[in-house]
Amino acid sequence: MSDGTVKPPRRDIGLKRRYRAGRRFHLYGLGAVCLSLMFLGMLLWSVFSQGISAFWQTSFTLPVKLEASVIDPKAERGKNPDVLNTANYPLLVRNALAEKLGVAADDRAALRAVNRMISPRVRRLLRDMVVNNPQLIGTTQTITVLAAADVDSAYKGQIDLSVPEANRKISDRQAEWIKHLAADGSLYKTFNAGLFTSAPSSRPEAAGLGVALIGSFYMMIVVLGLALPIGVAAAVYLEEYARRSKFTDLIEVNINNLAAVPSIVFGLLGLSVFIGFFGLPRSSALVGGLVLMLMTLPTIIIATRAALAAVPPSIRAAALGLGASKTQAIFGHVLPLALPGILTGSIIGLARALGETAPLLLIGMVAFVANYPATPLDPATALPVQIYMWAGEAERAFVERTYAAIIVLLLFLAVMNVAAVVLRRRLERRW
């Protein structure tokens, strides 16, 4: 029996539909994170699996007779010291290796095969040894020399020895010699310190990152020494002193736009201004640092302004209330409290500058530089540019060095980002 009341129609507020949409969004987000981690894992696996072998280098240890008949056959070194600089030192090492392998002195084909197993870098090693100590002539010295790039690749298992001999750079005879030398301990792998200290070379087994590391260090010094004080000063003025006007608004908009400008545009700017107008030396670390400074400056200004704005106004009011001037309040209280944010933004800006390649290519830092730069004005190169140059080489041994250089660069970037996180957590204050 009805009581005469009418129930109102149930409102369809779509609660279940909204909950389903929320769950779908959660799954989409989780899927995006998993996809990103998968691509990151693929990238790291690709880089580390192909580059980790470059941190070890194959070498020979041989007893080498420093025969006077080869180094100074006419006994002229007393009159002409240049004789010791031009001697045929690789012949001494080849003879030592041939003797160890039992190769006859008249078997020219075998001797050529033996010679191809030794890095030409041995000439410099023995020359320096003999020039610095001529009394070694006529003695037998046990020395360690680099193996040629093909021997290095074969010993690391990067050359497939099962394919026909004509289709690989290591002959069957050389492969047997490698096994024999490895068995008696004359051929082995050691940590490749030359990867960090040697200059670039056309021989992959002798090529290193020494010049690139020094060039990157000089550039970071220039960037840090100029971008940090200029950026902080500009940010303090805009945030604390400048009055709001259309002019300051225009400056802020342009700073934000400059932070998003492609880096190659800064390279064109540096090419025309620093090299074309001021006449600074091309390929120098100073010009590279100035270009990267221009690119990093907007990031530091934006980060510093955000850090200054995060300091509570009560700090300024308290300082002013105690009789401090505005400048004293800013530099004595506000700026120290904003320091964690400033340092974090500066380190992130430096990390971005360290990995830039395009602007450095335009100012000539892609040139082959074999000498270590003594000052920021000397020709140099940088880590990302060295990676770019090695990536263009066709030899297999340069491939692993390219990935090894990427590993070194990633480690530097990781250290800088970890430093930014540690500084922020240690110096951060919650209001």
Side-chain angles (χ1 to χ4, degrees):
M1 184 176 178
S2 174
D3 57 358
T5 59
V6 179
K7 294 183 178 178
R10 184 176 181 181
R11 293 176 55 193
D12 183 12
I13 59 177
L15 192 58
K16 292 182 178 179
R17 178 175 52 82
R18 284 186 285 163
Y19 281 167
R20 286 196 299 271
R23 287 194 291 272
R24 283 199 302 273
F25 180 78
H26 176 78
L27 291 176
Y28 292 156
L30 186 61
V33 171
C34 293
L35 196 63
S36 302
L37 290 177
M38 184 187 72
F39 283 120
L40 177 62
M42 292 171 62
L43 171 67
L44 294 179
W45 170 255
S46 173
V47 171
F48 278 84
S49 63
Q50 298 192 60
I52 200 69
S53 59
F55 291 92
W56 282 265
Q57 183 69 38
T58 306
S59 303
F60 295 106
T61 295
L62 298 169
V64 179
K65 299 176 183 175
L66 301 178
E67 302 173 31
S69 59
V70 175
I71 299 175
D72 186 14
K74 298 180 180 178
E76 296 177 335
R77 60 179 179 276
K79 302 176 183 177
N80 183 13
D82 287 341
V83 170
L84 301 183
N85 290 319
T86 58
N88 190 1
Y89 294 108
L91 179 63
L92 299 172
V93 181
R94 188 206 68 178
N95 291 341
L97 184 57
E99 182 179 354
K100 191 174 191 60
L101 295 172
V103 176
D106 57 350
D107 190 349
R108 295 189 175 183
L111 290 176
R112 284 195 295 271
V114 170
N115 195 46
R116 289 195 297 270
M117 297 178 66
I118 305 166
S119 170
R121 186 67 178 271
V122 71
R123 176 189 298 277
R124 182 177 175 183
L125 173 67
L126 285 185
R127 183 196 61 195
D128 294 344
M129 181 189 299
V130 173
V131 168
N132 293 330
N133 191 5
Q135 288 75 22
L136 295 177
I137 298 176
T139 64
T140 299
Q141 299 293 322
T142 301
I143 63 172
T144 300
V145 299
L146 292 177
D150 294 333
V151 174
D152 181 54
S153 298
Y155 190 58
K156 292 176 179 174
Q158 297 167 351
I159 294 179
D160 186 4
L161 298 178
S162 63
V163 301
E165 184 179 9
N167 296 334
R168 48 182 158 87
K169 293 185 176 181
I170 291 292
S171 64
D172 290 338
R173 199 173 189 180
Q174 289 174 320
E176 289 299 322
W177 287 341
I178 291 173
K179 292 179 182 177
H180 173 72
L181 293 171
D184 70 4
S186 301
L187 184 69
Y188 52 88
K189 289 187 290 185
T190 58
F191 180 71
N192 188 9
L195 179 66
F196 301 95
T197 59
S198 299
S201 173
S202 58
R203 301 285 181 178
E205 70 276 5
L209 295 169
V211 174
L213 289 174
I214 295 175
S216 295
F217 174 75
Y218 281 146
M219 287 195 301
M220 290 302 103
I221 292 295
V222 173
V223 174
L224 186 63
L226 294 178
L228 186 60
I230 296 175
V232 171
V236 169
Y237 177 78
L238 290 173
E239 189 66 27
E240 302 291 343
Y241 290 97
R243 294 180 179 178
R244 288 291 177 187
S245 66
K246 291 184 179 178
F247 180 68
T248 55
D249 291 342
L250 179 65
I251 292 177
E252 290 181 11
V253 169
N254 279 285
I255 289 174
N256 294 330
N257 289 335
L258 282 174
V261 168
S263 58
I264 196 168
V265 177
F266 290 99
L268 290 171
L269 178 64
L271 179 64
S272 61
V273 175
F274 299 124
I275 296 177
F277 185 76
F278 289 106
L280 293 176
R282 193 182 183 90
S283 306
S284 65
L286 176 62
V287 177
L290 291 173
V291 171
L292 296 179
M293 182 270 293
L294 294 177
M295 195 188 69
T296 310
L297 206 52
T299 304
I300 294 180
I301 294 176
I302 293 172
T304 303
R305 292 193 65 186
L308 292 172
V311 178
S314 58
I315 301 295
R316 298 173 178 81
L320 295 175
L322 291 175
S325 65
K326 185 173 182 178
T327 301
Q328 288 176 321
I330 292 171
F331 286 92
H333 301 278
V334 177
L335 200 55
L337 293 173
L339 195 58
I342 296 173
L343 291 176
T344 301
S346 301
I347 293 174
I348 292 174
L350 286 175
R352 182 196 170 195
L354 182 63
E356 282 294 338
T357 308
L360 303 181
L361 299 180
L362 289 178
I363 61 172
M365 296 195 74
V366 72
F368 184 88
V369 181
N371 298 321
Y372 297 97
T375 68
L377 292 173
D378 294 334
T381 184
L383 267 177
V385 178
Q386 190 63 66
I387 293 171
Y388 172 80
M389 294 172 66
W390 281 353
E393 299 288 347
E395 291 191 48
R396 173 66 183 81
F398 273 115
V399 175
E400 65 171 11
R401 272 168 169 70
T402 302
Y403 284 101
I406 294 174
I407 293 173
V408 173
L409 180 59
L410 288 177
L411 290 177
F412 274 115
L413 296 177
V415 168
M416 295 178 75
N417 282 284
V418 169
V421 172
V422 171
L423 284 175
R424 186 173 64 244
R425 290 193 174 182
R426 288 203 170 191
L427 303 177
E428 186 178 33
R429 293 188 180 183
R430 298 183 181 276
W431 312 104

